[in-house]
């Protein structure tokens, strides 16, 4: 972040390195039921990100001291593959992935009706096969689809998106170069219907005006991403329903 | 809702479900603004009095008066622990069985791995539950012989059908005895060909539980199977 470099992130027309405008998202592909054994699963390809999410549960929480007598515990595990980044990542949990696992668990807990399943745990395994900036919000977006796919009762979907500051301009959905050499990065996750913020982190700095501009960009973008989530879930059943109507 | 050609309404978690003057039953919650919203990704079913959302997948949570099939996991001095394919185990006390047993010697009645068909007697606020085999006239018993198959619990109503229409049709066509637990465990007994056919039929319903005209297709399927028999 803010690393001095001679990379030109925006051209004179405000077009970004990958040819996008400031309010444009990278292409998103989302599929469900990608894993046979999991109760629910989803795979998201968001720009260069490739992430698989598997959901298991609710099931009895182990070790027993993690049980909550009043609600289910969501145990998310965010893990990056050794080959997911340019330079080999040392496998296993590190400070960053422990942090991301924690914020993802908390964001999902806001959407899932955890009070219906006391003493249980819901496992959310997130495997990043290829990382390209914005993995935490891509993971969250896919995880809430995997949870819905598993038939876990939820109040709402969690949808995420990032904004950042690149060469003094606020832009949506940072790419890897923009994330590395830009001036700020603001990942946000919201509940799709209510717009309630369930995750917000900021790296670098934004003025109050830039922050507000970024947030309104995120709100419009999440509405679009939410549509992708719905299409991904219903795709499989649409075909079958047609078959049923014959 | 079986055999009707009504358009099925698909809903996602958090979607508002128009309820008119119908009551809210399973799979819905009341939002802060007073609207009824879906908890699940599933299909809306409107009955005469109530409205439900039936999810495509999901686990079973024990409810009072449900009849379930469970597998004995552990034998204690006076109680069995029973696995009902749910996040929660259930318990069966020796006094809730039709047999006269003395504490410490209950495994002569049921041992680990046996299946029972029981009724959920109580569920408490932390979802601990107890089942009973003692209510007469409801077919509650130890299940001896037979085969066990599993379907997700949200599909069970479709397999039973209106007033048991679907399952009776399968029973008649395949010459088998079938017991269905609310929790999705199904016990089938009879000649092996019949069991195979019934399993196939149930799997077909499981995969198409959310489609229209299922009864008709089932009739067709069972008829063809029968012809192939002769």
């Amino acid at each position: 972040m803010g690393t001095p470099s001679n990379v030109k992130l925006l051209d004179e027309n405000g077009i970004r390195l990958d040819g996008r405008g400031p309010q444009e998202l990278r292409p998103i592909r989302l599929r469900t039921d990608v894993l046979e054994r999991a109760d629910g699963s989803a795979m998201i390809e968001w720009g260069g990100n490739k992430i698989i999410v598997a959901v298991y549960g609710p099931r009895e929480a182990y070790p027993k001291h993690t049980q909550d007598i009043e609600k289910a515990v969501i145990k998310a595990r965010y893990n990056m593959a050794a080959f997911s980044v340019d330079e080999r990542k040392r496998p296993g949990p590190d400070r960053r992935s422990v942090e991301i696992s924690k914020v993802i668990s908390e964001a999902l807990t806001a959407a899932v009706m955890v009070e219906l399943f006391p003493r249980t745990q819901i496992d959310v395994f997130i495997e990043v096969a290829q990382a390209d900036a914005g993995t935490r919000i891509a993971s969250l977006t896919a995880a809430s689809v995997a949870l819905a796919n598993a038939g876990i009762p939820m109040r709402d979907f969690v949808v995420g998106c990032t904004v950042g500051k690149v060469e003094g301009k606020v832009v949506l959905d940072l790419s890897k170069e923009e994330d590395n050499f830009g001036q700020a990065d603001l990942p946000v996750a919201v509940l799709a219907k209510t717009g309630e913020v369930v995750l917000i982190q900021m790296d670098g700095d934004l003025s109050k005006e830039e922050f507000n501009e970024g947030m309104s960009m995120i709100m419009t973008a999440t509405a679009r991403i939410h549509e992708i989530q719905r299409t991904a879930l219903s795709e499989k059943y649409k075909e079958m329903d047609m078959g049923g109507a014959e | 809702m079986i055999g009707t050609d009504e358009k099925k309404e698909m809903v996602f978690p958090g979607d508002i479900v128009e309820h008119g003057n119908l009551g809210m039953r399973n799979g819905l919650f009341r939002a802060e603004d007073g609207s009824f919203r879906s908890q699940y990704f599933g299909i809306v079913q409107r009955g005469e009095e109530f409205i439900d959302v039936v999810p495509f997948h999901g686990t079973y949570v024990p409810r009072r008066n449900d009849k379930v099939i469970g597998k004995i996991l552990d034998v204690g001095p006076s109680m069995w622990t029973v696995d009902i394919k749910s996040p929660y185990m259930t318990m069966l006390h020796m006094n809730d069985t039709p047999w006269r047993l003395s504490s410490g010697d209950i495994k002569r009645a049921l041992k680990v791995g046996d299946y029972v068909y029981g009724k959920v007697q109580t569920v408490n606020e932390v979802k601990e539950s107890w089942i009973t085999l003692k209510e007469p006239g409801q077919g509650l018993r130890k299940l001896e012989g037979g085969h066990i198959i599993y379907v997700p619990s949200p599909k069970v109503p479709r397999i039973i059908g209106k007033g048991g229409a679907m399952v009776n049709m399968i029973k008649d066509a395949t010459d088998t005895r079938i017991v269905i637990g609310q929790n999705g465990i199904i016990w089938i007994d009879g000649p092996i060909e019949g069991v195979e056919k019934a399993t196939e039929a149930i799997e077909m319903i499981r995969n198409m539980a959310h489609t229209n005209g299922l009864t008709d297709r089932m009739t067709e399927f069972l008829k063809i199977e029968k012809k192939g028999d002769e």
Side-chain angles (χ1 to χ4, degrees):
Chain A
M1 189 101 352
T3 318
S5 83
N6 42 19
V7 186
K8 195 101 175 75
L9 294 172
L10 283 179
D11 72 5
E12 51 281 3
N13 304 321
I15 299 298
R16 301 200 247 165
L17 271 185
D18 48 9
R20 287 184 292 154
Q23 303 237 21
E24 220 172 307
L25 287 167
R26 290 175 287 175
I28 303 173
R29 259 188 75 208
L30 190 51
R31 280 185 298 151
T32 59
D33 284 315
V34 290
L35 301 171
E36 189 90 339
R37 237 79 73 199
D39 294 322
S41 59
M43 179 177 181
I44 191 164
E45 289 169 57
W46 183 325
N49 293 309
K50 285 194 171 71
I51 302 164
I52 297 182
V53 182
V55 170
Y56 291 82
R59 55 189 181 187
E60 204 176 347
Y62 279 111
K64 222 159 182 175
H65 69 84
T66 63
Q67 284 186 2
D68 187 328
I69 198 88
E70 286 180 344
K71 58 180 171 43
V73 185
I74 296 184
K75 292 182 179 167
R77 196 198 62 170
Y78 169 98
N79 185 46
M80 278 175 101
F83 51 82
S84 62
V85 277
D86 287 339
E87 223 160 290
R88 178 178 183 274
K89 183 204 169 278
R90 195 165 174 267
D94 52 14
R95 202 176 70 162
R96 178 175 170 275
S97 61
V98 170
E99 172 204 313
I100 294 179
S101 303
K102 179 180 184 291
V103 294
I104 286 179
S105 300
E106 286 170 2
L108 293 174
T109 306
V112 174
M113 306 181 91
V114 285
E115 66 282 2
L116 297 181
F117 300 99
R119 299 190 291 134
T120 62
Q121 71 180 27
I122 298 168
D123 287 311
V124 180
F125 296 108
I126 299 160
E127 294 293 328
V128 180
Q130 187 172 290
D132 187 45
T135 53
R136 76 192 67 195
I137 49 95
S139 304
L140 258 175
T141 306
S144 68
V145 169
L147 284 165
N149 182 236
I152 290 168
M154 296 199 290
R155 265 176 269 277
D156 211 336
F157 279 93
V158 179
V159 199
C161 197
T162 56
V163 285
K165 191 158 108 179
V166 170
E167 308 204 346
K169 277 252 175 67
V170 181
V171 294
L172 187 70
D173 190 18
L174 298 184
S175 69
K176 190 161 147 260
E177 294 73 24
E178 291 167 340
D179 191 17
N180 289 345
F181 307 118
Q183 293 144 299
D185 173 22
L186 177 74
V188 179
V190 298
L191 298 184
K193 291 263 158 46
T194 60
E196 207 176 309
V197 175
V198 291
L199 178 147
I200 186 161
Q201 297 184 304
M202 187 159 82
D203 193 359
D205 49 11
L206 291 173
S207 71
K208 198 173 165 187
E209 290 72 34
E210 286 165 341
F211 179 84
N212 288 338
E213 187 191 344
M215 282 306 276
S216 71
M217 277 161 84
I218 281 179
M219 290 302 172
T220 26
T222 48
R224 285 187 348 240
I225 301 164
H226 180 46
E227 276 312 309
I228 297 174
Q229 289 182 312
R230 296 167 73 101
T231 326
L233 275 167
S234 61
E235 219 159 351
K236 188 176 143 201
Y237 293 96
K238 270 198 182 119
E239 287 167 26
M240 291 180 102
D241 254 348
M242 304 261 271
E246 50 172 338
Chain B
M1 286 279 150
I2 287 150
T4 55
D5 276 335
E6 174 199 349
K7 182 103 185 73
K8 299 249 158 117
E9 186 191 341
M10 194 188 282
V11 284
F12 299 88
D15 281 5
I16 294 177
V17 179
E18 290 304 330
H19 57 92
N21 46 15
L22 295 174
M24 164 170 84
R25 204 159 54 182
N26 301 320
L28 292 125
F29 69 100
R30 195 188 295 273
E32 274 171 28
D33 61 2
S35 58
F36 288 7
R37 287 167 189 263
S38 170
Q39 293 180 356
Y40 297 114
F41 166 48
I43 297 274
V44 180
Q45 276 189 2
R46 291 167 213 275
E48 275 159 23
E49 283 177 70
F50 292 105
I51 191 162
D52 301 271
V53 173
V54 182
F56 290 119
H57 299 273
T59 47
Y60 175 76
V61 176
R63 282 190 310 185
R64 207 172 113 88
N65 292 334
D66 273 2
K67 290 201 254 173
V68 297
I69 296 178
K71 185 184 182 183
I72 306 292
L73 266 195
D74 192 25
V75 188
S78 60
M79 270 203 261
W80 292 272
T81 309
V82 186
D83 178 11
I84 49 169
K85 280 266 184 190
S86 157
Y88 309 101
M89 300 294 159
T90 188
M91 257 101 68
L92 173 63
H93 193 264
M94 63 174 190
N95 290 350
D96 292 323
T97 63
W99 313 297
R100 291 193 66 84
L101 299 164
S102 52
S103 178
D105 186 30
I106 61 169
K107 74 164 184 279
R108 68 191 168 91
L110 290 169
K111 55 186 190 306
V112 172
D114 285 347
Y115 281 88
V116 290
Y117 182 47
K119 185 172 169 176
V120 181
Q121 207 171 20
T122 43
V123 183
N124 67 12
E125 45 285 80
V126 291
K127 308 280 180 190
E128 284 173 332
S129 61
W130 284 265
I131 58 170
T132 178
L133 298 184
K134 226 181 174 178
E135 287 190 31
Q138 301 204 36
L140 307 181
R141 61 185 196 275
K142 175 185 176 188
L143 296 169
E144 302 197 57
H147 296 254
I148 293 285
I149 61 169
Y150 173 74
V151 297
S153 70
K155 315 274 185 193
V156 167
R158 237 26 240 278
I159 291 167
I160 295 173
K162 214 174 223 165
M166 188 74 87
V167 66
N168 286 334
M169 195 166 89
I170 299 174
K171 279 187 200 167
D172 293 344
T174 60
D175 191 24
T176 49
R177 294 192 295 154
I178 302 178
V179 176
I180 302 177
Q182 263 317 309
N183 57 335
I185 299 182
I186 300 174
W187 176 86
I188 312 173
D189 194 18
I192 189 68
E193 304 80 34
V195 172
E196 274 176 3
K197 220 170 287 172
T199 307
E200 216 175 306
I202 289 168
E203 243 141 49
M204 196 173 134
I205 303 172
R206 185 187 69 184
N207 295 333
M208 301 196 288
H210 53 279
T211 57
N212 284 322
L214 193 53
T215 318
D216 299 344
R217 264 181 292 161
M218 211 61 233
T219 324
E220 193 90 333
F221 171 75
L222 292 168
K223 225 180 358 199
I224 293 166
E225 286 289 311
K226 250 202 167 152
K227 255 186 216 155
D229 239 19
E230 287 156 8

